[in-house]
Amino acid sequence: MAAKGLERLKSILAVARAEEPADLLLRNGQVVDVFTGEVRKANVAISHGIIAGVGPEYQQARETIELGGQFIAPGFIDGHIHIE
């Protein structure tokens, strides 16, 4: 089981580095940054159900959904953490 998890992580990291195609690419969306309040045009690469990257460098995927400027907003993300 641990080897399977490691291979999954390696695959996600390769997508994050834009070395491998994502499973799903949300292209030309308006990404809402809930921390800064900014909205910026970007692509979102998803691998194994996890967002692997956000930005214009993500162009390849097994499946692509063209958003045509629709908004993408994160949900259920808790940015509040304690390091201690």
Side-chain angles (χ1 to χ4, degrees), residues 7-17 20-26 44-53 58 60-63:
E7 290 305 312
R8 180 175 178 260
L9 178 60
K10 285 180 181 180
S11 176
I12 294 167
L13 291 173
V15 171
R17 292 188 301 265
E20 290 184 9
D23 296 329
L24 175 64
L25 182 68
L26 304 176
V44 178
I46 299 170
S47 178
H48 297 276
I50 293 174
I51 295 174
Y58 301 102
Q60 302 293 321
R62 291 172 186 81
E63 180 182 356

Side-chain angles (χ1 to χ4, degrees), residues 52-72:
V54 177
E57 63 273 17
Y58 301 102
Q59 298 290 325
Q60 302 293 321
R62 291 172 186 81
E63 180 182 356
T64 299
I65 298 174
E66 176 62 47
L67 296 179
Q70 294 183 59
F71 290 93
I72 304 171

Side-chain angles (χ1 to χ4, degrees), residues 22-37:
D23 296 329
L24 175 64
L25 182 68
L26 304 176
R27 187 188 308 269
N28 295 321
Q30 296 286 338
V31 177
V32 178
D33 186 326
V34 296
F35 295 110
T36 66

